[in-house]
Amino acid sequence: MLKKITTAAAAVLLAALTACGSGGSGDAGSPSGNAKGDDKITMGFAQVGAESGWRTANTKSIQEEAAAAGIELKFSDAQQKQENQIKAIRSYIQQKVDVIAFSPVVETGWDAVLLEAKRANIPVILTDRAVDSDDTSLYKTFLGSDFVEEGKKAGEWLKANAAGAKNVVELQGTTGAAPAIDRKKGFEDAIAGTDLKVVATQTGDFTRSGGKQVMEAFLKSVPQIDVVYAHNDDMGLGAIEAIKAAGKVPGKDIKIITVDAVKDGMTALAAGEINFIVECNPLLGKQLMELAKKVVAGEEVPPRVVTEEGTFTVDQAKTELPNRKY
Ligand code: GYE
């Protein structure tokens, strides 16, 4: 059911995108928009890393949809380091790709390299994560989720469902990353003015091992933990291991809320070890390739394309799990 709504919403978004075009043929192979003068668009994609189930699904979606769209993909994995992403972008500029797309590991520090791309006349598309820059002419569009909204959904569910709970510990995503900053803010806004309080917060870098380590430390230092709010499934799954090792029951003694809804997260949710997951859709490949074709052809694209997403409770996870592709 929820999946259908999401798919329908995605279709509407795509239709809207198509309608935004100049009405031209949208022929990706049009030599006019291609720096190399041949028929194939080349995209340089600078990925964050392979830190989570979400990221793996995102990478797969980009690779598959590039192939389906006939776009030649140059792909690099920055291992969660900004300097590696900057190097990759510089090399794409040198190679004169037709379009650069990337998911910025952190929000700040991109202006110099993006200016180099602009001067080389190579359009840039941000996908998944945003940059924090005053100069919005440095990129054509940003395709991805509303992370503040995701944090809000997590906080709203907790307000409505965790009677008696007070102390929340937070496992933050990568320090300085848009989803870490925004999921924190949305959640804090939602629980403001209630008895709920974030009593400890630390980064687990969006990884399972990071979530486990931070949770182990919290379990030792925080006397009463009612709720874990993890910025992604992987850190929540790491926290589950730490909670079990401490002799407590995840989902019962300590409630757990996460973001993403990848298969492993949904499995834990269906088993009642996680209590609520806010969906974040990693399947951005198709929309990204559509946008890339348009910007290379010099067509107008909307400056912001927001991904439609839902949420899952334990019962909804049980229904959805057999269909979950990632
Ligand atoms: O939630 C997390 C991943 O940027 C939305 O990055 C993405 C986040 C996702 O590592 O699992």
Side-chain angles (χ1 to χ4, degrees), residues 55-125:
R55 188 66 53 198
T56 309
N58 179 246
T59 291
K60 193 163 170 257
S61 164
I62 287 158
Q63 289 171 335
E64 285 176 359
E65 295 296 341
I71 291 179
E72 188 186 327
L73 185 69
K74 293 180 186 292
F75 184 90
S76 62
D77 172 340
Q79 299 185 320
Q80 289 184 280
K81 292 204 175 70
Q82 182 173 34
E83 71 219 57
N84 291 345
Q85 274 193 315
I86 291 175
K87 266 189 216 148
I89 293 169
R90 288 217 165 104
S91 114
Y92 295 146
I93 296 171
Q94 264 167 12
Q95 294 172 60
K96 296 191 170 41
V97 298
D98 301 304
V99 55
I100 291 172
F102 80 115
S103 172
V105 59
V106 291
E107 280 192 338
T108 55
W110 300 102
D111 284 36
V113 71
L114 292 185
L115 201 57
E116 290 168 32
K118 190 178 170 187
R119 290 200 174 122
N121 267 324
I122 300 176
V124 172
I125 299 176

Side-chain angles (χ1 to χ4, degrees), residues 51-55 103 128-129 145 147 150 179 183 206 231-234 259-260 280:
E51 74 281 5
S52 64
W54 191 99
R55 188 66 53 198
S103 172
D128 159 33
R129 298 183 184 177
S145 312
F147 299 132
E150 290 173 351
R183 285 174 186 165
F206 279 131
H231 288 185
N232 78 344
D233 288 347
D234 281 87
V259 185
D260 275 355
C280 181

Side-chain angles (χ1 to χ4, degrees), residues 238-260:
I240 287 175
E241 290 175 33
I243 292 169
K244 284 181 178 167
K248 298 199 159 145
V249 183
K252 297 214 164 57
D253 297 335
I254 298 177
K255 303 257 184 247
I256 304 178
I257 305 170
T258 65
V259 185
D260 275 355

Side-chain angles (χ1 to χ4, degrees), residues 105-187:
V105 59
V106 291
E107 280 192 338
T108 55
W110 300 102
D111 284 36
V113 71
L114 292 185
L115 201 57
E116 290 168 32
K118 190 178 170 187
R119 290 200 174 122
N121 267 324
I122 300 176
V124 172
I125 299 176
L126 302 179
T127 173
D128 159 33
R129 298 183 184 177
V131 299
D132 183 1
S133 169
D134 292 335
D135 187 356
T136 52
S137 79
L138 294 175
Y139 53 91
K140 296 288 180 199
T141 180
F142 165 38
L143 161 69
S145 312
D146 181 338
F147 299 132
V148 175
E149 191 55 36
E150 290 173 351
K152 241 179 225 163
K153 286 176 185 167
E156 293 298 342
W157 181 85
L158 183 57
K159 272 202 298 199
N161 290 281
K166 282 197 172 69
N167 292 349
V168 182
V169 298
E170 181 182 40
L171 301 174
Q172 287 187 45
T174 303
T175 306
I181 296 166
D182 293 352
R183 285 174 186 165
K184 179 171 180 49
K185 183 180 184 321
F187 183 80

